[in-house]
């Protein structure tokens, strides 16, 4: 039986609560928070059945669950309910059987998670969008942990350039991928970028790959955490090997005879 203390806690609880008959599923008691959450007056709620608040497509399943649960409902279940104005809300509920007014009843706590769930959906959508953007970038995109230099992200272009799957690389550092000299060079450069707090451009950076030594044009920047402390290193590397070779070939042709490949007048003028 409900004592006075529990009844006070029930009535004044900021969490929406109600009690319904375990057999008829009719409401027996509701608190002010439940009225506010669902937009009904107390009398309106007390004239209803708990199934009236479920969206039509979930009522049959809800009935079977309630009848078959003996009042001990799954606390992780997120049910879709309908407010007085017809809007739908997502509710996380906790329920336990109890005796109230000499009847077998169920007491329920309702927590509105609509905004939280919407925020989660928006966050997931944003993540999917950003993943798609990163994957579509033709240059290598990578993120490292600023503290230990371990990779936490690599896109498809990075996999192709380095000749390694991201699933193999994630969690490893440059020392697991490159020779010791290159790894030290990359690590020192990364630490300098993070310490500077600025975007750093690196021109013609040599990188040993399974396809040979490539020349990269890299932009790196440190990404702080919520407290402003260094947390990640973001880098974008463009393979400019062919571009540099073409530029060098153009310079050579401008200063040498096409047929003999000997230095031309322009070459001697520049000496």
């Amino acid at each position: 039986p409900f004592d006075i203390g529990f009844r006070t806690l029930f009535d004044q609880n900021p969490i929406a609560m109600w009690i319904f008959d375990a057999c008829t599923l009719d409401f027996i008691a509701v608190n002010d928070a439940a009225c506010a959450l669902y937009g009904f007056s107390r009398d309106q709620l007390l004239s209803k059945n708990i199934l009236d608040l479920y969206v039509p497509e979930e009522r049959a399943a809800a009935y079977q669950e309630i009848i078959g649960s003996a009042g001990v409902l799954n606390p992780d279940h997120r049910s879709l309910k309908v407010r007085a104005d017809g809007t739908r809300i997502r509710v996380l509920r906790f329920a336990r059987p109890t005796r109230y007014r000499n009847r077998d009843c169920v007491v329920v706590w309702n927590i509105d998670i609509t905004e939280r769930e919407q925020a989660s959906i928006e966050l997931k959508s944003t993540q999917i969008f950003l993943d798609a953007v990163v994957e579509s970038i033709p240059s290598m995109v990578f993120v490292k942990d600023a503290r230990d230099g371990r990779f936490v992200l690599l896109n498809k272009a990075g996999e192709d350039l380095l000749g390694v799957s991201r699933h193999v690389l994630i969690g490893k550092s440059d020392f697991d991928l490159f020779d010791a000299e290159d790894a030290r060079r990359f690590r020192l450069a990364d630490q300098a970028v993070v310490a500077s707090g600025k975007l750093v451009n690196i021109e013609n950076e040599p990188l040993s790959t399974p396809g040979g030594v490539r020349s990269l044009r890299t932009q790196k920047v440190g990404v702080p955490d919520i407290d402003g402390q260094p947390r990640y290193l973001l880098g974008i590397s463009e393979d400019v090997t062919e571009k540099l070779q073409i530029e060098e070939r153009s310079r050579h042709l401008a200063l040498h005879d096409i047929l003999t490949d000997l230095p031309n007048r322009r070459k001697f003028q520049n000496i």
Side-chain angles (χ1 to χ4, degrees), residues 33-53:
C35 296
L37 176 59
Y38 289 92
F40 292 101
S41 68
R42 187 181 302 273
D43 289 340
Q44 286 175 323
L45 271 182
L46 290 176
S47 68
K48 293 182 177 296
N49 182 289
I50 187 174
L51 296 179
D52 293 334
L53 298 187

Side-chain angles (χ1 to χ4, degrees), residues 136-199:
S136 67
I137 294 176
S139 301
M140 178 172 68
V141 178
F142 59 90
V143 176
K144 299 176 184 176
D145 190 311
R147 297 168 298 187
D148 57 20
R150 296 185 182 279
F151 285 89
V152 298
L153 181 146
L154 182 72
N155 68 346
K156 180 62 168 59
E159 288 183 313
D160 295 340
L161 178 63
L162 299 179
V164 61
S165 165
R166 74 191 74 184
H167 303 296
V168 173
L169 183 62
I170 299 303
K172 296 182 179 179
S173 71
D174 292 323
F175 290 92
D176 299 307
L177 184 62
F178 307 109
D179 61 51
E181 183 177 347
D182 284 345
R184 279 193 297 270
R185 174 166 55 87
F186 292 140
R187 183 62 180 146
L188 289 174
D190 290 348
Q191 290 174 334
V193 170
V194 172
S196 73
K198 299 178 181 179
L199 177 68

Side-chain angles (χ1 to χ4, degrees), residues 38 40 55 81-89:
Y38 289 92
F40 292 101
V55 295
K81 300 286 181 49
V82 182
R83 302 182 75 251
D85 61 4
T87 59
R88 296 184 172 197
I89 58 175

Side-chain angles (χ1 to χ4, degrees), residues 52-116:
D52 293 334
L53 298 187
Y54 280 85
V55 295
E57 59 267 29
E58 290 190 6
R59 286 174 186 167
Y63 175 78
Q64 294 298 327
E65 181 189 15
I66 294 169
I67 294 300
S69 68
V72 183
L73 300 179
N74 180 5
D76 294 327
H77 182 72
R78 291 160 170 77
S79 58
L80 197 58
K81 300 286 181 49
V82 182
R83 302 182 75 251
D85 61 4
T87 59
R88 296 184 172 197
I89 58 175
R90 184 70 68 177
V91 176
L92 181 64
R93 56 101 202 275
F94 301 84
R96 288 294 180 268
T98 189
R99 289 288 294 177
Y100 183 69
R101 296 179 182 173
N102 295 319
R103 300 160 72 173
D104 290 330
C105 297
V106 180
V107 57
V108 182
W109 293 257
N110 299 266
I111 300 176
D112 183 7
I113 59 170
T114 308
E115 292 185 2
R116 185 196 315 171

